[in-house]
Amino acid sequence: MSESAIAPDTARAILTAALGQAGLPPAVIAVVAAAAPALLEALLDLVRRHHAGEPLPEVAVAKHHSTAEQIAQRIEEDRRP
Amino acid sequence: MTLSHLSEALCLVAVGAYTLASCVSTQDPLRVALDANTALVAAITAAQDQQQQRAVSFYQRRAALCPPSGAERDTCLSDAGRAAVLACASVDALLSMTVTLQQSAAVSLDAARQCRLDEASCEAAMLQAAERTLTQARASLTRAALLAAEEAP
């Protein structure tokens, strides 16, 4: 098991509660809960792989907008005949 | 295992693996900081655009009073422009400082991003520096917005 291994009893309790909340029938919950540790580990691996595969967003950078330049352009436009 | 990963895995149990994308939340501090930075840049750009509109509007009101032609018109337009720039100077200075702070944060964020890609141990320190500067940039932008509302030329 990996360093993030979950104790079998804990995994069963977590899965039973989650599946119960999701409204699954008790018979289904019993089947899934029996395989709880392996299933939960597999799902956690899936999540970790998903995170690892996502490219990081680019770093956005603000640009200076000069009010003085903007006004100077307006003056130039207004001076044209 | 983190609590975040566990909650995402439980979400998968509840809704099925094919909806993975809807289950996976962004709890990664670097991603959160990158997203927050992107939002800040958008806010800064919008604030600068508004500020330029205010300045141009101020100038146009003054310029409308200038004579229609001649040497006096040139002088009058220059005076109107100078008055507009001076009226907006305080907010401009704060916005300029905000941009500089954001750019500094971006350097730290980029370094943190590179640490992640290189799997180096510097990510947390770089991210902490970026978050500090982002906080300062947000505060600076808020002050600029408040001052702009007060001055409203």
Side-chain angles (χ1 to χ4, degrees), chain B residues 16-32:
Chain B
Y18 61 93
T19 54
L20 175 66
S22 69
C23 288
V24 176
S25 58
T26 302
Q27 298 294 331
D28 177 353
L30 179 56
R31 286 176 191 280
V32 170

Side-chain angles (χ1 to χ4, degrees), chain A residues 41-54:
Chain A
E41 275 302 318
L43 288 168
L44 284 168
D45 278 346
L46 190 60
V47 171
R48 286 190 205 105
R49 279 202 302 276
H50 179 85
H51 278 300
E54 282 177 358

Side-chain angles (χ1 to χ4, degrees), chain A residues 3-6 14-15 18-19 22 24 32 39-41 43-44 46-48 50-68 70-71 74-76 78-79, chain B residues 1 5-6 8-10 12-14 20 24-25 30-31 34-35 37-38 41 45 48-49 51-52 55-56 59-60 73-74 77-78 81 85 92 96 99-100 102-103 106 109-110 113 116:
Chain A
E3 59 178 325
S4 63
I6 307 164
I14 289 170
L15 276 178
L19 295 175
L24 269 68
V32 176
L39 177 59
L40 203 50
E41 275 302 318
L43 288 168
L44 284 168
L46 190 60
V47 171
R48 286 190 205 105
H50 179 85
H51 278 300
E54 282 177 358
L56 286 169
E58 292 297 317
V59 180
V61 183
K63 290 179 183 151
H64 283 282
H65 295 190
S66 167
T67 299
Q70 179 77 15
I71 295 295
R74 292 288 173 147
I75 293 172
E76 281 306 305
D78 288 347
R79 277 178 174 161
Chain B
M1 177 183 63
H5 285 170
L6 178 58
E8 288 170 7
L10 290 177
L12 291 178
V13 171
L20 175 66
V24 176
S25 58
L30 179 56
R31 286 176 191 280
L34 286 165
D35 289 344
N37 175 62
T38 303
V41 170
T45 304
Q48 289 189 120
D49 289 348
Q51 175 68 356
Q52 288 201 345
V56 168
Y59 162 74
Q60 285 175 329
R73 176 172 171 77
D74 279 1
L77 290 175
S78 293
V85 170
D92 274 351
S96 181
V99 170
T100 304
Q102 190 283 324
Q103 289 175 343
L109 275 177
D110 204 38
R113 195 174 180 279
R116 167 75 60 90

Side-chain angles (χ1 to χ4, degrees), chain B residues 118-150:
Chain B
D118 297 341
E119 297 182 4
S121 60
C122 49
E123 182 185 321
M126 289 296 126
L127 186 56
Q128 210 171 24
E131 282 173 342
R132 270 199 307 271
T133 318
L134 281 174
T135 301
Q136 291 169 352
R138 272 191 291 271
S140 177
L141 181 62
T142 303
R143 280 198 297 276
L146 289 173
L147 187 60
E150 277 176 23

